[in-house]
Amino acid sequence: MRMRRTRTALAVLLALTLLAAACGSDDPAPDDAEDAEEATDPEPADDDAPDPDPSEDEADPDEEEDRPTVAGGTLTVGLSSEPVSLDPGDGLFIAEHQVLMHVFDTLLRLTPDGALVPGLATEWSANDEGTSFAFTLRDDVIFHDGTPLDAEAVIAQFDRLAATTDGAGVAPGVLAGYEGASAEGNTIEVTFSDAKPELLRDLTRAWMGIPSPAAMADGADPSRQPVGSGPFVLEQWDAQDRMVLRRNDDYAWGAVEFGHDGPPLVDELIIRFLPDPSSRMAAFETGEIDIVEEPQFLQVEGLVESGRAQLASFQAPGMPTHMMLNTDNPPTDDPVVREAMILAVDTAELVATAFAGLQSPASNVLSPTTFGFSPEAAATYAPDPAAATALLEEAGWVDEDGDGVREKDGQRLTLEYPASPDWEGAYMELLTAYLTAAGFEVNLTQMDDAGIFEVANAGEHHLVSMAWISGSPSVLPIVYHSDNIEQGSAFTRFRDAELDGLFDEAAVTVDDGQRSALYAQAQIIIMDNALAIPLYTLDRVLLLQPELSGFAFDAEGYAWLPGVAVGG
């Protein structure tokens, strides 16, 4: 896509974008993740945004009095993307985590305010060095195939994850340095070669769910036929359409921290995959689905104010939506070009236009609600299109033929931008317009998550979207450590011994203050080297049908569904 380098052209695009979205176009105003994968309600960016007060508009998980005490009915949820795999060991994307957390259980869980509580383990402890951990398991947990959970099941999964050397799943990295595990009765001791300060929190995430070893031994495909011990049992998966899960009637070890620890209240959970925003909204407005994620933001206020929807929102910790810039591929191998790209994007205007005040502008590669967030790194840049123009011209990038695209040494200033309409549809055209106004030629190519991963892993991109829901800054090395360039998600392809060293040291530093300081230094290096264009914090926004009750977010912004009732 090409546009002449004028502010007038950009203003016209912004106006047309708003008009198209307001009219319910299939191409809404020019969203994000991943899974792969997340605490407070976000403040509106302007006075016209819907009121986020839970007492009026939002689903309130604390309203126990309206919850029915009997189960029944079907709950249908519309997701914007489909999981790639339901093997916890392969898990990477937000959609996968959203499903996995309802099929599998983890050793520990987090309360909504982030405190560790029992899951499959009733007790846990660690040595002072953070290299050895003991877990005592419940003795009443049954997998969906009728076999009991025991210590050997947990050890089998840990051994399997530790032996995984390929793929991009999160779980194998959690167990880096794993030396083995042993059992005495229902107690497991797990040892590591180095300190694991983040392990207990990492074990709460669905990637660390425990599958039935009997099912694994029977040869079932764990990516398509998962067998866990969670509140729902997967019965059907129709690719590019839906999943059907039924209530686990034997479930008696659930999340008491959400006020409901028995079987789910609904008989059946249907998860529909609706990547097109207009189709998702139409299905919600006609009552075909009960909960919709990533709604068309400009329609939210009218639906909520008219009583046709409840709004549930959550400013997720972790990495905000940002564009990772490829440091290997010209022209983004030049840090001056990368800095100009950052300065060219008016994030406040982008958020107000694309998200109607339901997201918050980002200025760093960590969200402010995340442990270890660096205000210094967040202050590195401020939008300045004039400064972007000056940088490019000083570096020799000029528009010699007047077509709106800069050239240097016979090469056009061209960017390859693979984008997912599922996650980026709300802003990808706007982002392209900002860069085009600065003199870039942006080739915007729409594809699914798997396609984007393939292109980015091969280094054929210049910019690619990234976001990661997590309460810990330990997600940063997953996408910024050079060890993860070839077979991971380090899509900037940036190699820096100092940055890698900070990540390595932080991973084994038990003291919270010291670990936070190390991650802060890492953020400063990332921003000083212009490796990313921060766009917006990953505020989770869902619409619920008015009659739903019992909805809750977990500590990282995923929808917790066992306590949801579909009627009064």
Side-chain angles (χ1 to χ4, degrees):
M1 179 177 295
R2 187 181 304 174
M3 182 180 295
R4 299 192 64 84
R5 256 187 317 114
T6 64
R7 296 299 293 173
T8 301
L10 180 57
V12 169
L13 177 61
L14 296 179
L16 291 176
T17 294
L18 278 169
L19 178 61
C23 294
S25 167
D26 288 342
D27 187 9
D31 174 278
D32 148 71
E34 164 178 79
D35 222 109
E37 73 243 49
E38 289 173 335
T40 59
D41 294 329
E43 291 295 326
D46 56 60
D47 293 337
D48 295 327
D51 180 26
D53 184 354
S55 66
E56 296 183 12
D57 298 331
E58 293 198 23
D60 185 353
D62 296 324
E63 290 183 354
E64 299 292 334
E65 58 187 277
D66 294 330
R67 290 190 191 177
T69 57
V70 295
T74 297
L75 175 66
T76 304
V77 178
L79 298 185
S80 61
S81 63
E82 180 174 6
V84 176
S85 169
L86 288 185
D87 180 348
D90 293 338
L92 180 66
F93 299 110
I94 287 176
E96 291 167 349
H97 196 287
Q98 184 62 74
V99 178
L100 288 170
M101 66 186 286
H102 291 98
V103 176
F104 292 93
D105 289 308
T106 53
L107 290 179
L108 304 176
R109 289 196 292 261
L110 290 175
T111 64
D113 61 2
L116 286 168
V117 293
L120 296 177
T122 58
E123 299 176 5
W124 59 93
S125 61
N127 64 1
D128 291 340
E129 295 75 23
T131 58
S132 180
F133 300 81
F135 303 92
T136 300
L137 301 180
R138 296 180 64 119
D139 58 8
D140 60 345
V141 176
I142 303 297
F143 288 112
H144 298 159
D145 60 4
T147 60
L149 170 85
D150 57 19
E152 294 306 321
V154 177
I155 293 174
Q157 178 65 353
F158 280 14
D159 287 348
R160 172 177 174 253
L161 294 176
T164 301
T165 57
D166 56 0
V170 176
V174 170
L175 294 184
Y178 175 77
E179 291 189 332
S182 60
E184 183 174 340
N186 235 26
T187 298
I188 305 165
E189 184 172 355
V190 187
T191 58
F192 295 88
S193 57
D194 297 301
K196 302 289 287 186
E198 302 280 354
L199 180 70
L200 295 178
R201 189 176 185 97
D202 285 340
L203 291 176
T204 68
R205 299 189 175 97
W207 329 117
M208 302 306 295
I210 306 300
S212 161
M216 301 286 283
D218 286 344
D221 179 359
S223 69
R224 305 293 296 186
Q225 299 169 289
V227 179
S229 60
F232 288 98
V233 180
L234 180 68
E235 293 213 318
Q236 178 182 336
W237 184 352
D238 297 328
Q240 300 181 341
D241 183 19
R242 70 186 62 203
M243 288 178 180
V244 179
L245 302 94
R246 64 170 170 81
R247 178 175 60 205
N248 179 3
D249 289 323
D250 297 324
Y251 197 64
W253 44 89
V256 66
E257 61 271 18
F258 290 106
H260 180 79
D261 60 353
L265 291 179
V266 296
D267 297 319
E268 185 178 61
L269 171 63
I270 296 177
I271 299 176
R272 292 183 57 187
F273 313 123
L274 299 166
D276 177 65
S278 296
S279 298
R280 233 172 20 250
M281 289 301 293
F284 180 81
E285 292 189 68
T286 59
E288 295 175 44
I289 58 178
D290 302 299
I291 299 175
V292 61
E293 73 166 3
E294 302 296 327
Q296 289 183 304
F297 290 89
L298 295 176
Q299 296 183 34
V300 169
E301 182 175 13
L303 289 170
V304 171
E305 289 190 348
S306 66
R308 291 179 290 161
Q310 303 177 67
L311 170 65
S313 60
F314 185 102
Q315 187 174 87
M319 287 189 290
T321 298
H322 62 285
M323 307 307 298
M324 300 181 73
L325 306 181
N326 187 347
T327 63
D328 272 357
N329 200 2
T332 51
D333 61 335
D334 183 348
V336 173
V337 171
R338 299 197 300 270
E339 182 176 351
M341 293 171 68
I342 297 171
L343 296 174
V345 178
D346 188 336
T347 51
E349 185 178 63
L350 181 146
V351 167
T353 303
F355 301 112
L358 290 169
Q359 302 287 340
S360 307
S363 55
N364 191 5
V365 290
L366 276 187
S367 296
T369 56
T370 312
F371 169 79
F373 170 79
S374 168
E376 180 179 349
T380 306
Y381 305 102
D384 191 337
T389 295
L391 280 176
L392 291 171
E393 292 185 350
E394 289 170 9
W397 291 100
V398 295
D399 179 13
E400 296 178 346
D401 56 10
D403 70 345
V405 178
R406 297 177 182 274
E407 300 93 12
K408 179 181 179 181
D409 298 332
Q411 299 296 315
R412 294 168 69 84
L413 190 58
T414 301
L415 302 174
E416 298 297 330
Y417 174 20
S420 165
D422 300 354
W423 299 108
E424 301 169 69
Y427 69 82
M428 60 189 182
E429 296 285 355
L430 265 176
L431 176 61
T432 298
Y434 286 121
L435 296 172
T436 302
F440 290 88
E441 177 180 53
V442 183
N443 294 328
L444 172 62
T445 306
Q446 299 186 36
M447 54 185 69
D448 61 17
D449 287 340
I452 292 173
F453 186 86
E454 182 178 351
V455 169
N457 193 249
E460 297 169 354
H461 65 294
H462 291 101
L463 63 163
V464 67
S465 178
M466 175 60 66
W468 205 296
I469 296 175
S470 174
S472 167
S474 61
V475 294
L476 283 174
I478 297 175
V479 300
Y480 284 103
H481 196 297
S482 66
D483 282 354
N484 297 320
I485 289 175
E486 300 305 329
Q487 291 296 326
S489 301
F491 299 141
T492 67
R493 306 183 74 83
F494 182 69
R495 295 168 175 85
D496 183 82
E498 182 182 3
L499 180 61
D500 289 349
L502 290 168
F503 287 144
D504 293 341
E505 186 177 353
V508 296
T509 299
V510 176
D511 181 84
D512 284 348
Q514 294 176 16
R515 191 165 72 257
S516 177
L518 291 167
Y519 280 120
Q521 292 177 55
Q523 292 163 65
I524 291 169
I525 290 175
I526 290 169
M527 296 308 298
D528 280 350
N529 284 276
L531 303 184
I533 308 174
L535 295 180
Y536 61 94
T537 59
L538 190 57
D539 298 354
R540 296 280 282 159
V541 178
L542 290 82
L543 289 181
L544 286 61
Q545 295 292 353
E547 66 273 13
L548 261 60
S549 61
F551 176 85
F553 285 111
D554 74 1
E556 295 186 335
Y558 290 104
W560 185 83
L561 302 175
V564 174
V566 294

